[in-house]
Every structure is written in C-alpha cells, then in structure tokens.
Amino acid sequence: MEFGNGSGHVDGSRYLPIAEHGLIGDLRTAALVGTDGTIDWYCCPRFDAPSVFGAILDADRGGSFELAADVPARTRQFYFPDTNVLITRFYAADGVAEIQDFMPVVDESREAARHRLIRRVLCVRGTLPFAARIAPRFGYGAEPHTVRGQAHEAVFESPSLSLALTSTAPLESDGRDVWSHFKLLEGESVVFALDQIGDDVRPRACPHAEAQAQAEATVRFWRHWLGQSRYRGRWREVVHRSALVLKLLTYAPTGAIVAAPTTSLPELVGGERNWDYRYVWVRDAAFCVYAMLRLGFTAEAEAFMGFLSDRGIAPGTGAAGPLQIMYGIDGRRELPETELSHLEGHLGSAPVRVGNAATQQLQLDIYGALIDSIYLYDKWGQPISSDRWDEVGAVVDWLCDHWDQPDEGVWETRGGRRNFVYSRLMCWVALERAIRMANRRGLPADLPRWRQNRDVIYRQIMRQGWSPERGAFTQGLGDDVLDASVLMMPMAKFISPTDPKWLSTLDALTQDLVSDSLVYRYDPEASPDGLRGSEGTFSICSFWYVEALTRAGRLEEARLAFEKMLTYANHLGLYAEEIGRTGEQLGNFPQAFTHLSLISAAFNLDRALG
C-alpha cells in the first residue's frame, strides 16, 4: 500500500497501523509497543518531552527499539490481566516465546528519575532465536548522539539526554545503534533495561531476579489500584481497561491527565489534521471527574481538580477570559506550535506538529466543563473550599459579561469564530451548576444576576438554536447544520431526554451523522472548518450517542450501538480519537476523551438495563 504526501510515495509496509499497538507507562511518560515487538513511540522523561523512539512518525528518522523472533512467527498481544504489563507472544515452528514490557511505577524517590523501561524475553516452549536493534533518535530525530559501552551495557549520549541500556545478552554497537542476537531454550530468558541517566542516576544492570521482582511489583501496583473500582456492571472488562488507560495518561507529579500520549497521528491518512495531544484540556475535566468518581477513584479526581485549581484559573481576565483551553502537564501556559519538517509523518501524513496553537483560541464551553467538574466533586467528593468558591464566583461573574460572543467552539475549528450552540449550552451549564452549589451550601453569590443570564441563554438556544426546517437543534445559532456536540444536551440536564424537540433532534442526527453506530461530529463540507480533507467518525460522539439513546429510553438501540462500538476497539480494548471508513483507528492514540465517554456510556446503560 502506498500513500502520497505531496512529495512522492510512502511505503505503507514500513508502518504498523495505529491500532496495532499497546501502551505502557510509569505515570510520567509512556511508550507504544507494536504487535511486532517494536517500541516505535517513547518520549523521555515525560509525556511532552521530545521523542527518543518516534518511528511511528518517520520509519527512517524516528528511531525505534526492535525486538522480535529472528524466524518467521505469528504474534499475539494482550495485557497481563488487570494490569498495564503488556505481553507480546511469538509463535514459530520450533517454539513459543513472549516479551513482557512494562515500566516500574515508583514514588518521588531518586529512582523515579530513572524512568526504567524493562523488556523481558521468555521462551515458554521449544527454542527460539531473537534479534534486537536499539536505535534511539533524540530530539524528535534531530539531535546527534554517540554510543559507548561494553559487552552488556551501552550508554547513548545526546546534548539533551542520556540513556543507558543494560542487557543479560551480549550487545554490539556501531557507534550509533546497538544490536543483540541470542537464542533461548525453553525456560530461559533475557532482560533488557533502558534507563534515563544523569548526575544522580548512574547506569545499573537489571539481572534476572531484579527483573522478576520488578515485574511482580508492577503487577501488584496495577491490581491494587484497580481494586478500588466500584464498577460491577455488565462491561466490567472494557470499563476497567479504560480506567487503566486513563491512569496511564496521568502525570503523577501534578495530577494532570494528557488528552493522548502522542502527537500528529493523522485524522486522515495523507491529510493535514495532525495535532499534538500531549497536554491537558480543561474540556476533559468534567468527564474525567465524573468517570473517576463513578468508578470510585476519588484520589485521581481530587488530583485533577487540584491541578485545575492550582494552575488553571488565572487572576487575569482578558478577552479570552480567566482560563486557557489547555495547559502543559506542569501547568505552563505557553505551548508554541511548530512543525517538524524533517519528519515525513505517519504513512506520509505531514506536517508533524509539536505544541498547540489552539491555546490562543476562545472556547467558552470550557467554563461549563470546569464548573460542572467542581459541582460533581463538591457533590460526590469533597465539599468545595471557600477559596475555590471565590474562584468559581469570579469565573461566573466574568461569564455573565462574556457568554454572548462568538468563539472557536468545542472542535477547535480554524475557520473563524461563530455563535456555536454547544458553547452557549455549556455557558448555561456553568451558571446553572454554580447556582445549584450556592443554593445547596448557602454560599454567597449574585444569584439574581446569575439566574437572569442563565435564563437568557436558555431562551436563546430554544429560539435561535432550534431549526424548525431540520426539526433539530443545530451547530450554530440561526443555521441548519447538524453537529453531534448537541448530544450533550440531555446529559447536561438542559432538556428532558424525552422532550419532543430532543427526540426529533436525535432522529435527525441518526439520519445525517450516524453510520453503523459510528457518529461524525459534523459535515466539513456543510460547515467549513478551515482545514482541507475529511475525517473519520468521532468515537467520543459515538459513546455520547449511546448515552443519548439510553436516556431517551431506547435501550435496545443503545445496547446494540454500544456493542457495535466495542467491536471497533483494538485487540487490547484501546481507542484512538476517530474511526476510518473501513474501521481503522485514526488520530492520536489512545485518547483519554474516548475512554472517559465509554465509561460514562457503560455506567448509564448498565444502570438503565437494571
């Protein structure tokens, strides 16, 4: 298969499909491991650092850690049950072997700076030869490096980062890359360990006994964490896998949750819709808090609320308001967007972008997401503090003055500001939830003003956001374009899920934007978004659709749509942002928002089914 990127052809056989990967991590960074045993995405020492292995974005220049049977073999990949320890099995004519990939999760001790990535190869039947090639490419493949070492240790040094590779098998080097060839008999194993090193962290071997102990400790960590889940419903396995994914996407030092661990995986192969998702979106807040509290993970919800409170709400109130739509995992506000022109992109899908210029956009819906998350946490977690209530009051007062203006909207379009219905809806949510909190707790608030603005927004949506011609709520005020974001209306308690206007909207969305349970967020031709090309269906919207059907009482349809959606997950139960025309995963992977909406849909459908 060959794909054009405007500069010739790209050999598709050099790239594994996005879905053919599993994720491992240590709550600070993460790595993607292909079904062929290759690590082709890894940023060190944190999610938003430059990549060390980036072959998923450029098979030649990106760098990778290849490890596979040195004979023809079939492979299967699965997670060690209830953990994020990934196992890739090789089935060959003369034997069966497996790679166990994991990153030990350690506390804030000095060992946390090691970011150890362990690869254990075990022969479980017969005999099998293996080959490894470790070819890091620092700084997104732009920084040179050297290798020095001996028989069982190699140190890769670049201007910005040094990594040490230790192995129980002998290593060879050409000064840039490192190889190893070895043969395993039944019961034998080889261990590779890759560490970040520096002034405080020196190279350290990982003998068999230590690898075994760290594997067992990592299994215990994940099982203990998952043991806190209160979910006992029909879809326990997929819900728990989604929870484990969300925990992997958490940056432990601050409690931030990245939207995805990757950048620039294409929403359309060969297209330009390639963005960096290794940051924290305020929009994810309410969904994250809701999902985590519903499952019983109060510490994660509390940590994320702390991140938003400590760094999110700034005292400045300019035209863009007291909030940015996204932040760095350390809370930083500047995320300048640049293009890495030396990388060809996944399957030739250029440009590869780092940073995200959408930080400069005005998206009013984030205020509803933020205040809804605070409301949920106040209700099910800890009561809101007086300082945080002061912050809420300041945001709501600002919103009373600014809700009635065009913005870039929930989908971060780059086609100019418009009066989006979803933005108005979430401004209504912000005011409505703040009023509820003030009434329930007897907190000080300018309630007459808040109520007046809430009611004006409600009437505006009902009058101008409703199209009698389409029989539906629309994308923008006064237009007749459909948009899947209005699926949030009944979930946000804006409208009864059985209101005739809502049921008519649900029918219109089903007819126009739904394809075999999969939901397009909008039609780019009917609603130009400033970008070329089409895109796949949006998996978040597909799970919102399940929930909308559930709340409307259409349980048979909801259950079928949900079960169909589960067939589009990859072999490990992971989802990217979108699904393409033939069922392939597209966009950054795995995506937090999709897994959050899966948890919510499963929880509410399960409860409705009784």
Side-chain angles (χ1 to χ4, degrees), residues 46 200 274 343:
R46 39 186 251 178
D200 294 335
N274 318 316
L343 298 178

Side-chain angles (χ1 to χ4, degrees), residues 229-491:
S229 169
R230 292 200 299 256
Y231 182 77
R232 299 289 181 271
R234 291 168 175 77
W235 295 285
R236 192 168 164 187
E237 200 165 309
V238 292
V239 166
H240 280 175
R241 179 48 56 197
S242 290
L244 285 162
V245 169
L246 293 172
K247 184 66 171 171
L248 269 184
L249 298 181
T250 303
Y251 183 63
T254 63
I257 296 180
V258 295
T262 56
T263 180
S264 300
L265 293 182
E267 295 173 20
L268 173 74
V269 170
E272 64 173 348
R273 297 167 184 267
N274 318 316
W275 314 108
D276 193 348
Y277 275 17
R278 298 171 299 158
Y279 307 112
V280 190
W281 265 254
V282 173
R283 179 171 305 120
D284 298 12
F287 300 95
C288 175
V289 171
Y290 177 85
M292 288 303 193
L293 289 175
R294 274 289 184 224
L295 298 183
F297 297 111
T298 50
E300 282 66 29
E302 185 174 0
F304 196 54
M305 293 306 304
F307 172 85
L308 293 173
S309 179
D310 293 347
R311 298 166 178 83
I313 302 175
T317 50
L323 270 185
Q324 281 190 182
I325 69 160
M326 75 178 91
Y327 297 89
I329 54 176
D330 53 4
R332 76 185 188 282
R333 302 173 74 86
E334 300 298 317
L335 304 171
E337 186 176 299
T338 56
E339 294 183 4
L340 304 180
S341 56
H342 63 283
L343 298 178
E344 72 175 13
H346 180 77
L347 286 168
S349 305
V352 172
R353 293 183 173 96
V354 171
N356 202 311
T359 47
Q360 307 305 315
Q361 290 190 357
L362 174 67
Q363 295 179 18
L364 292 168
D365 65 279
I366 63 174
Y367 295 98
L370 176 78
I371 292 175
D372 197 24
S373 69
I374 295 170
Y375 165 78
L376 292 168
Y377 191 67
D378 178 69
K379 186 176 169 185
W380 293 334
Q382 294 289 325
I384 190 170
S385 68
S386 54
D387 285 349
R388 191 164 290 167
W389 178 250
D390 290 341
E391 293 171 354
V392 169
V395 168
V396 176
D397 287 338
W398 180 88
L399 207 53
C400 285
D401 293 327
H402 293 89
W403 64 262
D404 194 10
Q405 59 178 315
D407 68 350
E408 270 90 3
V410 60
W411 305 128
E412 282 157 32
T413 57
R414 301 198 177 190
R417 293 184 176 180
R418 293 169 52 204
N419 290 305
F420 288 104
V421 169
Y422 183 81
S423 299
R424 295 289 195 273
L425 169 71
M426 294 309 285
C427 288
W428 178 89
V429 167
L431 289 156
E432 202 275 334
R433 301 301 190 266
I435 291 165
R436 276 199 209 186
M437 277 190 283
N439 284 330
R440 194 174 68 224
R441 296 274 310 281
L443 295 165
D446 189 351
L447 286 174
R449 184 177 183 229
W450 292 8
R451 284 197 192 101
Q452 182 195 3
N453 279 277
R454 177 196 65 183
D455 296 348
V456 171
I457 297 171
Y458 178 90
R459 292 192 186 100
Q460 187 186 74
I461 293 173
M462 284 298 185
R463 289 170 187 158
Q464 298 177 49
W466 168 260
S467 166
E469 293 76 31
R470 299 303 301 267
F473 291 103
T474 56
Q475 183 180 67
L477 300 179
D479 70 26
D480 58 2
V481 175
L482 296 186
D483 190 304
S485 62
V486 301
L487 287 164
M488 278 297 295
M489 281 182 160
M491 284 190 263

